[in-house]
Amino acid sequence: MNILLLEDDLILSAELCRFLESNSFTCDKIYDGETFLRQIKNNTYDLYLLDINVPKINGLDVCQTIRSFDKSTPIIIISAYGDISDKKDAFTRLADDYLVKPFQFEELLLRINSLLRRKSPSDAADQDIIRVDDLIINKTEQKVYRAGNEIALTLKEFQLLSYLAEAQGRTVSKQQITEHVWEHNFNTNTNTVEVYINFLRKKIDKDFKLKLIHTRSGFGYYLSPL
């Protein structure tokens, strides 16, 4: 099980990670919220531990950002703030648990194990989230985010983008796209696929230096950060 820790106290961060690793977890530690959000774009974790008072982006805002595209990964807030208003704010942003510092590491371990038992490895919500660099496709909710911002797509645009993403960087032909997205509802000699690819490029790639939707001349299209 992989845990990502947001904690700017270097000593506490190191001690927590050592404790978790001694209990068969892997633990990556991050010291500011901005770096933390970059870290989760390309890495998968089973649980997040978030301190509130950290540099750049505080832990509550990090929690809210995570929940905008990931409703299932458990989040535990670990904070010196113990007022009920602070806890209410955390749970309003959909944190799963709140532990006030100082706390016994064994209590944290009990809470982690409790949350992970509730989360099935085959959870459909996890299976239906596809990540390509900073692009996140939530198939369950039919929502798409890039760099944390939601992108509005039509149903066919969403289906086309999902199909490209499911190919995991492989090139898919125009014929394959019409079979899976349009189910042969139009002649492949038309330019419908090209039109919708252009629609997606304007919404997914236009405002970003890194382009994700690519054409392989004579073969088809693929979705990849490379």
Side-chain angles (χ1 to χ4, degrees):
M1 290 291 183
N2 303 316
I3 294 176
L4 184 60
L5 169 65
L6 175 61
E7 173 58 71
D8 66 334
D9 183 322
L10 301 185
I11 296 175
L12 178 58
S13 178
E15 290 178 347
L16 271 174
C17 276
R18 279 197 298 269
F19 173 77
L20 292 170
E21 288 166 355
S22 71
N23 283 277
S24 302
F25 293 97
T26 62
C27 180
D28 293 335
K29 47 187 182 292
I30 302 292
Y31 307 114
D32 70 83
E34 187 176 284
T35 304
F36 187 97
L37 290 175
R38 285 202 303 268
Q39 177 77 3
I40 65 177
K41 288 178 182 177
N42 298 311
N43 298 276
T44 300
Y45 292 92
D46 299 290
L47 184 139
Y48 300 120
L49 293 175
L50 308 179
D51 185 16
I52 293 178
N53 189 22
V54 295
K56 297 185 179 178
I57 302 176
N58 72 60
L60 292 179
D61 288 340
V62 168
C63 177
Q64 185 171 343
T65 299
I66 292 171
R67 286 295 181 243
S68 70
F69 59 83
D70 178 356
K71 299 296 190 294
S72 63
T73 302
I75 297 174
I76 299 177
I77 302 295
I78 52 172
S79 174
Y81 302 143
D83 292 344
I84 190 63
S85 59
D86 297 311
K87 296 178 182 179
K88 182 179 179 180
D89 197 4
F91 288 117
T92 298
R93 301 184 195 220
L94 303 182
D96 294 284
D97 204 347
Y98 194 110
L99 196 55
V100 179
K101 300 177 183 177
F103 53 82
Q104 293 186 5
F105 285 6
E106 288 293 340
E107 181 179 358
L108 174 63
L109 181 62
L110 290 173
R111 297 190 185 210
I112 289 172
N113 286 330
S114 176
L115 285 171
L116 291 177
R117 278 196 300 270
R118 297 179 207 167
K119 180 175 179 286
S120 168
S122 60
D123 192 307
D126 282 343
Q127 294 179 345
D128 284 346
I129 292 178
I130 306 172
R131 300 170 186 252
V132 181
D133 198 74
D134 61 351
L135 176 71
I136 295 170
I137 302 169
N138 187 320
K139 294 182 64 180
T140 301
E141 299 183 3
Q142 294 193 338
K143 291 184 177 181
V144 173
Y145 304 87
R146 184 152 190 201
N149 299 309
E150 185 173 356
I151 298 172
L153 299 181
T154 66
L155 177 59
K156 280 301 175 192
E157 288 170 349
F158 182 84
Q159 291 172 340
L160 174 56
L161 182 65
S162 297
Y163 181 59
L164 291 173
E166 288 166 351
Q168 299 181 330
R170 298 187 303 273
T171 300
V172 292
S173 68
K174 185 176 176 180
Q175 179 68 36
Q176 289 173 314
I177 290 173
T178 59
E179 288 176 359
H180 287 84
V181 179
W182 278 272
E183 299 178 351
H184 284 301
N185 287 334
F186 66 88
N187 191 311
T188 56
N189 290 326
T190 69
N191 68 342
T192 302
V193 172
E194 290 89 340
V195 169
Y196 273 83
I197 288 289
N198 286 333
F199 287 161
L200 282 181
R201 281 181 167 142
K202 288 177 181 178
K203 294 183 177 182
I204 301 297
D205 282 343
K206 182 180 177 182
D207 297 328
F208 297 89
K209 183 177 180 180
L210 178 64
K211 308 304 180 187
L212 300 178
I213 302 171
H214 306 279
T215 302
R216 188 179 175 200
S217 183
F219 292 92
Y221 304 94
Y222 64 98
L223 186 70
S224 173
L226 304 176

